[in-house]
Amino acid sequence: MAINNEQVGVILSYVLGGLALIWLLFMFIKKSDQKYKSPLPPGPKPLPLFGNLLSLDPELHTYFASLAQNYGPIFTLWLGKKAGIVITSPVLAKEVLKDQDTIFANRDVPAAGREATYGGSDIVWNPYGPEWRMLRKVCVREMLSNTTLDSVYNLRRFELQQTIKFFYSHAGKPVNVGEQMFLTVLNVITNMLWGGTVKGEERASLGAEFRQVVTEMTEHLGSPNISDFYPVLARFDLQGIQKKTRNLAQRLDRIFGRMIEQRSKIGGLNGGKGGDSGKDNKDFLQFLLQMKDGGDAKNPLTMTHIKALLMDMVVGGTDTTSNTVEFTLAEMMNKPEVMRKVQEELDRVVGKERIVEESDIQKLPYLYAVMKEGLRLHPALPLLVPHCPSQSCTVAGYTIPKGARVFINVWAIHRDDSIWEKPSEFRPERFLDGKWDYSGNDFNYFPFGSGRRICAGISMAERMFMFSLASLIHSFEWKLPQGDKLDLTEKFGIVLKKRIPLVAIPIPRLSDPSLYE
């Protein structure tokens, strides 16, 4: 069929319109580089409309490290129309997290993060300001203080004994170590949150539900989402990530609501004291509900804040600790000489006639070195939680635009061969001189972040990690099932995971079987 001149004109107009649109998008991206006094950091050339999205590797921590080899310790990636700035050097990390901490103290909240935390009302995503400072104070000074953590030691001890008992009942059989450690940490955290409110079969079923929900939620939080890169498309939720995260959050919200209702009834029947005598016996939820009723009038703690903090504790505190314990045990199994040194230290301090107590931990310097080395090689959050400058500023002579998503590749810094000797090797001895800590003051080693947004749960994580690992190593020898090979590869996410779960066989090593009961 012949095409007339009118049809040719229509086709030509569509083609020219499409080309014009592509040109405008290209100029938009290009001009975003030119509107600042200083240039943006260098980086791979972006495509019109897509930026660098199409070239992203799913394993972002290693992909960013490889790009740093070409573009230097600070570079730009265009995530659609949003600038992503990647930092891969201690000097520049210090400039962002310490020297200009106030400017970078905000978060670039992903769509999934808003869905998961009641619109970003939690301590992780809340913008820096009076409300965030109030939440931080509640967490650090009250919920996660050393005094509070000391008061719930018996709870940690009981849950860990239950786990050791489980492994003993499966002696000589393969067990999924990460799964059991997740349930241990989860039981500790939920018991700290709402005490003995949940018991028996309901508690067992809650554990299985939490594990599924937390696993899926952390996956969504770490997944590239079109809604974050093109905000005008967010309402369409093209990948369905917001909807999936919202459904998961609603499942947890129903659990939180049920716990709050039960705890409120108990508190009401007992004059607001929850049936307990003394502050030390209160669970966190009870404490939060009392703060809500009599807190700061200028920055009140609301029910939404309480639920968001519960979400942070459940989602943020479980996967991170259990994954790090799993990675570290796997590294020790891969280095039998390290395992032997830890067990010799435990036998010297504890012996084989009793179980490990948390009071023993301070007398185990080599085990502390093992923990630090595990956190160096496999930091729980390899890119930390992305920061977001509240105004355009300059770092290393380059402009960092307001609203950019700033990634600190702590995983790459921890494996920098100019800082660490043989950085890919698991060598706890490098930490025995006490030079390195994780207070956030040394930017060669900061697995928990630094500055105002440093992790609020360091004390809790340290206690759970050390007590758990010490108990596992003291109580059992660990070996792989026959024919299996130890795999140490990582799977990237907002929380770093072991790509293949550690399945190992526990072999009892204590002198008295009753110690496992």
Side-chain angles (χ1 to χ4, degrees), residues 249-404:
Q250 287 172 352
R251 288 171 64 181
L252 290 183
D253 180 76
R254 286 192 289 271
I255 297 171
F256 297 156
R258 191 162 75 247
M259 297 302 107
I260 288 169
E261 182 180 2
Q262 291 181 21
R263 178 49 74 196
S264 297
K265 286 180 180 178
I266 294 172
L269 290 171
N270 293 280
K273 295 183 180 180
D276 298 325
S277 59
K279 179 181 175 182
D280 286 348
N281 290 323
K282 294 175 184 174
D283 57 51
F284 288 178
L285 181 53
Q286 182 182 351
F287 170 77
L288 290 172
L289 290 171
Q290 289 186 343
M291 276 204 70
K292 171 182 171 292
D293 295 331
D296 185 349
K298 290 185 178 179
N299 296 289
L301 184 71
T302 67
M303 189 61 76
T304 299
H305 288 136
I306 290 175
K307 288 184 175 181
L309 288 175
L310 296 182
M311 189 75 76
D312 276 353
M313 291 285 287
V314 169
V315 177
T318 48
D319 250 9
T320 50
T321 303
S322 59
N323 287 342
T324 309
V325 170
E326 182 183 15
F327 264 126
T328 306
L329 180 59
E331 290 283 3
M332 293 171 71
M333 291 174 65
N334 193 49
K335 281 281 191 79
E337 66 274 20
V338 172
M339 181 77 79
R340 187 184 66 256
K341 287 181 181 179
V342 172
Q343 288 180 331
E344 287 174 353
E345 183 178 64
L346 284 162
D347 292 345
R348 190 167 58 250
V349 172
V350 181
K352 291 187 179 181
E353 289 72 41
R354 67 177 178 90
I355 61 173
V356 176
E357 301 289 351
E358 206 169 71
S359 56
D360 296 316
I361 299 302
Q362 298 296 331
K363 306 166 190 172
L364 302 169
Y366 191 75
L367 185 64
Y368 257 107
V370 167
M371 176 184 68
K372 290 177 180 178
E373 180 70 342
L375 288 167
R376 181 190 70 83
L377 270 179
H378 310 287
L381 277 65
L383 302 178
L384 303 181
V385 178
H387 289 252
C388 181
S390 55
Q391 64 188 55
S392 295
C393 57
T394 303
V395 172
Y398 296 110
T399 290
I400 309 300
K402 176 182 177 181

Side-chain angles (χ1 to χ4, degrees), residues 157-175:
R157 185 178 188 270
F158 172 79
E159 293 298 347
L160 205 49
Q161 283 180 324
Q162 294 298 104
T163 302
I164 296 301
K165 183 178 179 180
F166 171 87
F167 285 139
Y168 184 71
S169 70
H170 289 72
K173 303 173 186 176
V175 291

